[in-house]
Each structure stands twice: as C-alpha cells, then as structure tokens.
C-alpha cells in the first residue's frame, strides 16, 4: 500500500516537474502521513499540547502562534512507520477567516482544544466546529475534543459532565489532560496515539461501512468512494 | 566610495566579506556617524539623507541615534506631548484580554539578562501603549504579532515616544494589517510568489507544486520579523530599513530570504509540510546587510506597480483553486496525490492565462534581469531609488494601495 502510494507520488512529481521545467524530483521511500489540525481559542494550550507530543516535554515558554506552526513525529503502529503531522493554528479569530483555511486541505483528523479553566474557550467550541464543517467537505473525518490544563484543579470552570454531554452531542470522544503535568504525559501521548490508531483503521472501514465513531447528527450523503488501492 | 563598490561585488557571491569589512569598518562607521549628525543638524533636517543612512550598511548604528532618527523617518514631532487617555482602558478595551495574553507570553522579546521586575514593568507599559493606540484609532484592529512590533519601539525609544511612533506607524505602514479582516494582509502576501518568480522561476515553480502557500511568511510580514529573529540587533537593523522604505518592503525582504535559501528549498521534499517547515524556521545567521541591499535592488527592478497585476492574478489563481476544491478534496481522500496535482495543473492550464504566460515566457528575459541585478546591487544606486520611492510615498501617506 505504502509503496504504491510512493510510486504514484513520484509519478506526479515527475510530471509536474516536466510541466514546470523544474528538476525531476524523486523522494526516497517515505512513510504514510497523517495530517492533524489543532484548533481552539487563544491560550488554551494548542502549542503546548503539540509540543508535548512531538518533543516529549512541556515547552519552557511559548508565544502566541502567528498563522500556522507545524510539528511532526514519527511513530510505529502495528509495525508500520507513520508520520504524524500536527498543524498548530493561531487562536485569534481574525487569523482563521482568511489565513488558516489553506491548512484544512487534506487533513485526516481535527483536534478541538479548550481550556478547562476558561469557560469562554468552551463556549467558543460550536463556532470552531461550524467553521471546521465549512472547510472540510468530508463529513466523516475523525474529530476529538481535548480539555487542557486539568492539572489546575482548583481553577476548573468546565465540569466534566458538561463537556462530556457536549462531546456526545457532536459525536466526538472527549479527553481531559494537561500538557504541563508530567503525570499526564502519557495521557497526551495516548490521545494522539489513539487518534493515529483510529486513522490507521479508518480508511479501510470507509470502503465498506461507516466508521464506528462517526455517527453524525445530520447524516449527509457521503462522497462516493472508489477504490484507491 | 571605493569601499562601497568593493561591497557591491560581495552580494553576488551570497556572502559578506568579513576580512575586507573589518579593515575599513571603523573609518566607515565614523564617517557614517558624522553624516547622520550632519543630516540631523541641518536646517531643515535632511530626511532624505537620514533615509539613505537607515537603508545603507549598518543602518542607524546605535539606539541613541535611532531615538533621534526614527521620529524623523515617521514625521513625528518629538516636542508634541505624548498622547494620553483619561479612561481606564483595561476595563473598557475589547482587546484587553487578547493583548494581555499575548504580552504575558512574549518573554523572549526582552533582553535575556533583564531583571524580572524591570521586564514586568515594561510589559505593563507595552499593554498600555497598545490599548491607547487602539482607543485613539477605533478603525484599527489588534492582531497577534502587533505586540512584537510595539515592544521593539518600547525597548528602543521608551514608553512616551513609542506611543507616538507606534500610532503613526499603525495608521500608515501597518494600516493594512490592522483592518477588520486580514484580506489586505493576504493581498500583500500575494506579492511574494511573483517576486520570487521574477528572479528564480525554478524555485517559484517548485514552491507552487508543493502548494506551500505563503503563511510561512505571515509572521515575518506582520511583525517586521520581530517575532522570528532572536537577536534584537538584527531586529532593529531591519526596522531602520523598513521605516525608511515603502510599506511593501518587508515582503521584498521575505522574498529575498526565500531566494537566499534556494538550494535548501529545492533539496526539500516537494510537499506543503516539508517546505512550510523549512521556510518557517528562519536561520539566525542570515547575512542581513547583503539581503537588505538585495531587497532594495529587487524593489527597484520590480516595483510594486509592476507586480500588482501578477499579485492580483495570484488571487485569481486562488479562486480557481477554491472552485476545484471539491475535486481536490475527493481525490485526496482517496490518497492519490498524483491525481490531485494533475487535476490542479489541468485546471490551472485550462482556466488561467497567467499560468500559460508563465510557462511560455522566455526564460532568457529573466537571466538578463539577474545579470543587471548583479551590477546594481551596490547599495548606492538601489538605496537612492528606494529612498526616492519612499519619499514619493511618504508625503502623501497613501496607504490605501489596495482598493
């Protein structure tokens, strides 16, 4: 499967190279890539979560993300090497309207993040979900909901049952975690790995039956899938 | 003058000749200092000369000079009382929460050795300046990254003067970034690829095939590189340059950085992630003086007016991309990138004359231009022309470049 994809990739680059007059581009064998976009309000911890997963630690200091940042990590799932690409987006509203759009292309999964200590960031979720719907044509792309900063126990504003109810309404699994607390380190790891496993098993399922988690509230006609093998 | 023409040979090799540089360095520096003070002391102040000094090698040299010259470049009268507000802005401003979040996190912008208390004091001042400028100019909208620009002024000229300078800058150079939407910012980013195309079509085509977009340069543009460069000296050097030039100069500088990294880009996998990742990690050891003179040179050779049509065509191409988005999405869901690319290229070829234009345009044309560039990079000529365009632009303060 992977090798077939590689060869078609090469073919495409060769042809585009000939078209554009650039040199022929032959990449070495590459692993499959899962592209995941991480969205949510400003300061909910998108950068810290992606950094935790890709670098294995909490960053010393992070700044506002301007536009879109990119991190990746290679993992092995059932003996297959897979690259997980995380696209970390700016939280401020003005950036999403015209800027982030480009990065919704080809995403395989979406991670919505809110700050458990900030109710406003939870209340913004419906608009993020709506926006995501507008950008993504495929309705069955795996989406998960992540509540961050669960280590700040005394400051929690978003109760778990409320978040769970919301997640159920939108047919998303909910994870509560902390990018900062080392005890929850495995948790961040587990979240993205769960997603990666889901993605790995997602595609074959799409051929014959709807994905098990993908029961949407408003089922829309799915694009007709032809075999891509 | 002799040393200046010797300098002119250097940029074509892409490096700065350190040995030859150190020899005449002190003499040149002294000469420049004298020139700057002469321009400052002449009556009326010779702003054109100050612009030339801000652009040419080394820029304005010290923060002490910057405190004197930056107001002149922005036409700010330092004897005017600084703007104040009678309101409690922290309670009234709709932007306060966002500004607070961004400023609190902007620790990297302050000198590493600075005591915590001093830094926190400056951060409070930073918040005040931003809120004040926003209050006085309700047509301006805060964006993440604006704080990276304001902090540079705060650190160089102090709170009072920074407020006046930032206000002027925000209503002029930064005006387009502060619109209600980022459409105009996007439009300015659309100049990037046409500039690259003029100089290096191969690199341009590679980047187009990778569909890397231009967002990797967004933070460069809207923070004037303040967000991405860790050495403050480099940041202020660039600010000297940008303050003296046309507001579109930062996009020329962005293009020059990409062009400078040509080989790295071409060695990269031809996909969005790889190229975006490479380009958004800006090298910290860039040969700034060389790149500044190249950017000035490119501006002269391919002024914005000449690129406007191509930039608009980019917009058009994006529209085409959007209309074929459905096919694109479907094909990619099927994990057949080759199909996607082919469809896209066919789509572009069918509908976009521009693409055809680019493909059939004789390459030699550009090589001729490149050769010319080698001859004119010597700062003198380019800087003069850049200053000229800056002056033409400055008195009118016309920032409504983009209808």
């Amino acid at each position: 499967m992977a090798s077939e994809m590689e060869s078609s990739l090469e073919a495409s680059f060769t042809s585009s190279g000939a078209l554009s007059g650039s040199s022929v581009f032959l990449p070495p064998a590459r692993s499959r890539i899962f592209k995941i976009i991480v969205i949510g309000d400003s300061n909910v911890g998108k950068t810290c979560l992606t950094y935790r997963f890709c670098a294995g630690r909490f960053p010393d200091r992070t700044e506002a993300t301007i536009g879109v940042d990119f991190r990746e990590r290679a993992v092995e799932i059932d003996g297959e090497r897979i690259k997980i690409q995380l696209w970390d987006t700016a939280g401020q509203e003005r950036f999403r309207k015209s800027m982030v759009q480009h990065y919704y292309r080809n995403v395989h999964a979406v991670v919505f993040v809110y700050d458990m200590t900030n109710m406003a960031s939870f209340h913004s979720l419906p608009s993020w979900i709506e926006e995501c719907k507008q950008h993504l044509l495929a309705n069955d792309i795996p989406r998960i909901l992540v509540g961050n900063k669960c280590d700040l126990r005394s400051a929690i504003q978003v109760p778990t049952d409320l978040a769970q109810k919301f997640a159920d309404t939108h047919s998303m699994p909910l994870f509560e975690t902390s990018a900062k607390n080392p005890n929850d380190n495995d948790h961040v790891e587990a979240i993205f790995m769960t997603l990666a496993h889901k993605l790995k098993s997602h595609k074959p399922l799409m051929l014959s039956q709807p994905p098990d988690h993908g029961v949407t509230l408003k089922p829309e006609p799915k694009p007709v899938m032809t075999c891509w093998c | 003058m002799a040393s200046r023409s010797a300098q002119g040979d250097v940029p074509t090799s892409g490096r700065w000749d350190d040995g030859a540089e150190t020899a005449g360095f002190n003499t040149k520096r002294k000469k420049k200092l004298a020139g700057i003070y002469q321009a400052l002391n002449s009556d009326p102040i010779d702003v054109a000369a100050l612009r030339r000094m801000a652009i040419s090698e080394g820029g304005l040299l010290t923060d002490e000079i910057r405190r004197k010259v930056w107001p002149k470049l922005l036409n700010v009268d330092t004897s005017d009382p600084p703007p104040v507000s009678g309101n409690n802005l922290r309670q009234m401003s709709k932007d306060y929460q966002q500004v607070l979040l961004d400023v609190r996190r902007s620790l990297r912008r302050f000198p590493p050795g600075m005591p915590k208390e001093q830094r926190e004091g400056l951060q409070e001042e930073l918040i005040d300046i931003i809120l004040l400028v926003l209050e006085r100019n309700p047509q301006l909208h805060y964006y993440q990254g604006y704080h990276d620009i304001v902090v540079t002024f705060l650190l160089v000229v102090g709170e009072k003067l920074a407020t006046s300078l930032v206000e002027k800058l925000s209503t002029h150079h930064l005006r387009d970034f502060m619109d209600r939407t980022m459409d105009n910012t996007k439009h300015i980013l659309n100049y990037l690829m046409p500039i690259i195309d003029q100089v290096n079509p191969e690199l341009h085509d590679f980047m187009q095939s990778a569909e890397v977009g231009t967002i990797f340069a967004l933070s460069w543009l809207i923070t004037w590189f303040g967000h991405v460069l860790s050495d403050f000296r480099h940041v202020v050097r660039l600010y000297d340059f940008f303050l003296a030039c046309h507001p579109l100069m930062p996009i020329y500088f962005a293009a020059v950085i990409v062009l400078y990294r040509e080989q790295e880009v071409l060695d990269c996998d031809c996909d969005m992630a790889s190229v975006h990742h490479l380009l958004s990690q800006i090298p910290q050891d860039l040969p700034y003086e060389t790149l500044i003179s190249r950017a000035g040179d490119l501006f002269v050779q391919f002024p914005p007016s000449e690129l406007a049509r191509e930039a608009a065509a980019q917009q058009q191409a994006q529209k085409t991309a959007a209309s074929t988005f459905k096919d694109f999405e479907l094909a990619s869901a099927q994990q057949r990138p080759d199909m996607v690319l082919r469809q896209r290229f066919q789509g572009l070829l069918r509908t976009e004359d521009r693409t055809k234009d680019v493909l059939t345009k004789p390459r030699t044309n550009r090589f001729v231009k490149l050769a010319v560039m080698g001859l004119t990079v010597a700062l003198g000529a380019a800087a003069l022309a850049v200053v000229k365009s800056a002056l033409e632009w400055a008195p009118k303060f016309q920032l409504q470049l983009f209808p």
Side-chain angles (χ1 to χ4, degrees):
Chain A
M1 169 58 221
S3 63
E4 268 179 62
M5 205 185 101
E6 288 310 325
S7 59
S8 55
L9 260 177
E10 285 173 19
S12 75
F13 288 132
T14 309
S15 66
S16 67
L19 192 75
S20 61
S22 70
S23 57
V24 175
F25 181 76
L26 294 173
R30 286 185 297 182
S31 40
R32 200 138 62 115
I33 293 168
F34 290 155
K35 181 177 166 184
I36 300 168
I37 191 165
V38 182
I39 57 184
D41 271 8
S42 193
N43 206 46
V44 297
K46 298 179 292 295
T47 300
C48 292
L49 281 170
T50 57
Y51 193 90
R52 164 68 83 183
F53 179 69
C54 294
R57 62 185 177 86
F58 189 68
D60 299 334
R61 39 174 82 165
T62 54
E63 291 183 271
T65 302
I66 295 173
V68 180
D69 275 351
F70 165 85
R71 293 178 187 86
E72 81 177 349
R73 179 179 153 191
V75 296
E76 206 174 283
I77 297 174
D78 304 334
E80 187 190 343
R81 211 177 116 88
I82 287 172
K83 257 192 206 166
I84 300 183
Q85 289 184 347
L86 300 179
W87 293 83
D88 173 20
T89 60
Q92 196 191 5
E93 186 174 357
R94 58 192 288 111
F95 286 99
R96 12 172 166 153
K97 294 276 183 269
S98 52
M99 292 294 170
V100 175
Q101 209 175 334
H102 186 73
Y103 297 87
Y104 276 96
R105 288 182 180 187
N106 293 338
V107 296
H108 299 105
V110 182
V111 176
F112 295 98
V113 187
Y114 67 95
D115 174 355
M116 292 172 68
T117 69
N118 178 352
M119 188 52 96
S121 72
F122 181 74
H123 285 315
S124 297
L125 288 170
S127 69
W128 283 111
I129 290 169
E130 187 48 44
E131 196 161 286
C132 184
K133 263 188 201 153
Q134 288 168 11
H135 290 307
L136 296 172
L137 289 175
N139 212 13
D140 55 355
I141 279 180
R143 301 168 308 155
I144 64 167
L145 183 60
V146 174
N148 191 27
K149 310 192 189 180
C150 75
D151 56 306
L152 302 172
R153 287 179 219 292
S154 56
I156 301 287
Q157 288 184 3
V158 184
T160 304
D161 55 345
L162 180 67
Q164 187 61 59
K165 210 172 144 192
F166 180 84
D168 290 345
T169 315
H170 291 273
S171 313
M172 289 189 277
L174 169 72
F175 299 88
E176 292 183 336
T177 189
S178 161
K180 187 177 189 179
N181 193 326
N183 296 330
D184 289 308
N185 189 4
D186 287 335
H187 205 159
V188 173
E189 173 94 5
I191 292 169
F192 285 106
M193 288 307 281
T194 306
L195 195 54
H197 273 99
K198 173 67 76 187
L199 286 169
K200 194 169 184 291
S201 57
H202 185 59
K203 285 176 194 112
L205 279 173
M206 270 163 52
L207 290 178
S208 50
Q209 60 185 91
D212 49 355
H213 76 291
V215 188
T216 46
L217 291 175
K218 268 198 312 181
E220 285 174 16
K222 291 209 174 68
V224 184
M225 291 294 169
T226 50
C227 181
W228 36 265
C229 298
Chain B
M1 203 57 223
S3 62
R4 178 168 279 176
S5 56
Q7 235 179 66
D9 296 337
V10 179
T12 47
S13 70
R15 273 198 308 278
W16 196 239
D17 191 347
D18 285 328
E21 212 35 49
T22 1
F25 181 78
N26 281 332
T27 332
K28 266 163 55 182
R29 190 187 158 89
K30 267 184 198 159
K31 204 173 152 193
K32 185 161 191 181
L33 280 171
I36 292 172
Y37 280 107
Q38 193 186 349
L40 275 171
N41 293 328
S42 63
D43 187 21
I45 289 172
D46 189 351
V47 179
L50 293 177
R51 277 184 203 281
R52 268 198 313 277
M53 302 289 179
I55 294 169
S56 65
E57 191 197 345
L60 295 173
L61 303 172
T62 70
D63 284 357
E64 194 195 328
I65 294 175
R66 291 187 175 100
R67 280 191 281 277
K68 295 192 172 83
V69 176
W70 280 6
K72 307 294 174 237
L73 295 179
L74 284 168
N75 196 21
V76 166
D77 188 345
T78 47
S79 60
D80 285 349
V84 285
S85 171
N87 294 315
N88 183 348
L89 296 178
R90 295 191 184 210
Q91 271 177 8
M92 295 173 55
S93 170
K94 62 174 170 49
D95 295 304
Y96 174 56
Q97 284 307 323
Q98 186 72 60
V99 172
L100 183 70
L101 288 176
D102 295 340
V103 170
R104 287 240 172 103
R105 290 185 284 176
S106 67
L107 305 180
R108 279 209 307 145
R109 302 279 84 84
F110 297 90
M114 182 179 278
K116 188 168 170 248
E117 278 177 17
Q118 190 187 353
R119 192 202 67 221
E120 286 173 351
L122 286 167
Q123 283 176 302
E124 292 304 310
E125 292 179 4
L126 182 52
I127 293 172
D128 290 338
I129 297 173
I130 294 173
L131 294 182
L132 182 54
V133 172
L134 292 173
E135 190 214 19
R136 288 166 51 88
N137 301 276
Q139 78 281 16
L140 301 181
H141 298 266
Y142 175 77
Y143 61 88
Q144 289 187 304
Y146 182 68
H147 66 296
D148 286 314
I149 289 200
V150 180
V151 74
T152 309
F153 284 89
L154 175 64
L155 290 174
V156 173
V157 304
E159 184 182 11
K160 288 200 173 100
L161 191 48
T163 310
S164 309
L165 297 188
V166 165
E167 181 164 40
K168 184 55 98 48
L169 194 71
S170 305
T171 49
H172 297 94
H173 285 71
L174 308 179
R175 178 63 188 84
D176 282 303
F177 311 145
M178 304 190 76
D179 254 355
R180 185 176 297 280
T181 71
M182 297 201 84
D183 291 348
N184 276 344
T185 307
K186 205 173 167 186
H187 186 90
I188 294 173
L189 282 171
N190 282 339
Y191 277 77
L192 183 68
M193 294 309 287
I195 300 170
I196 293 170
D197 191 27
Q198 294 292 338
V199 182
N200 190 332
E202 186 194 353
L203 183 63
H204 168 268
D205 295 348
F206 182 89
M207 289 172 69
Q208 292 288 50
S209 307
E211 299 193 305
V212 63
T214 50
I215 305 296
F216 66 84
L218 175 65
S219 69
W220 304 356
L221 177 70
I222 66 179
T223 71
W224 279 9
F225 296 83
H227 187 75
V228 288
L229 299 180
S230 43
D231 191 331
F232 193 66
R233 285 168 307 171
H234 297 151
V235 176
V236 290
R237 169 66 188 100
L238 283 180
Y239 277 43
D240 292 340
F241 178 49
F242 295 147
L243 283 170
C245 292
H246 189 281
L248 282 179
M249 188 56 88
I251 201 70
Y252 283 80
F253 194 77
V256 161
I257 292 182
V258 176
L259 289 163
Y260 176 74
R261 304 184 72 193
E262 169 192 4
Q263 206 46 55
E264 284 174 88
V265 176
L266 293 176
D267 288 345
C268 203
D269 288 351
C270 187
D271 63 64
M272 181 167 101
S274 307
V275 182
H276 176 98
H277 186 56
L278 175 83
L279 287 174
S280 56
Q281 310 291 313
I282 207 163
Q284 296 295 321
D285 58 347
L286 291 170
Y288 292 93
E289 298 300 335
T290 309
L291 298 184
I292 283 171
S293 80
R294 277 191 192 170
D297 196 75
L298 281 186
F299 187 93
V300 175
Q301 282 186 75
F302 313 110
S305 56
E306 205 172 286
L307 295 174
R309 201 180 60 89
E310 303 222 25
Q314 289 268 316
Q315 200 112 328
Q316 206 56 39
Q318 278 165 12
K319 274 187 201 139
T320 311
S323 65
T324 55
F325 193 58
K326 202 175 171 69
D327 296 342
F328 184 82
E329 244 351 78
L330 273 177
S332 54
Q334 296 163 41
Q335 292 280 318
R336 288 287 300 272
D338 57 330
M339 240 174 73
V340 177
L341 277 181
R342 233 174 274 143
Q343 278 188 353
R344 237 179 92 72
F345 272 108
Q346 281 167 3
L348 289 176
L349 282 174
R350 261 201 315 273
T351 53
E352 274 305 314
D353 287 349
R354 191 195 84 87
T355 316
K356 212 178 276 174
D357 224 37
V358 167
L359 292 174
T360 53
K361 212 185 275 176
R363 301 289 177 187
T364 45
N365 223 345
R366 286 174 187 159
F367 290 127
V368 171
K369 280 183 176 164
L370 266 177
V372 173
M373 182 175 163
L375 294 174
T376 59
V377 259
L379 261 175
L384 268 174
V386 171
V387 166
K388 193 164 162 284
S389 71
L391 286 175
E392 278 166 5
W393 165 79
K396 292 181 228 147
F397 282 130
Q398 267 187 335
L399 250 270
Q400 293 309 324
L401 293 166
F402 316 109

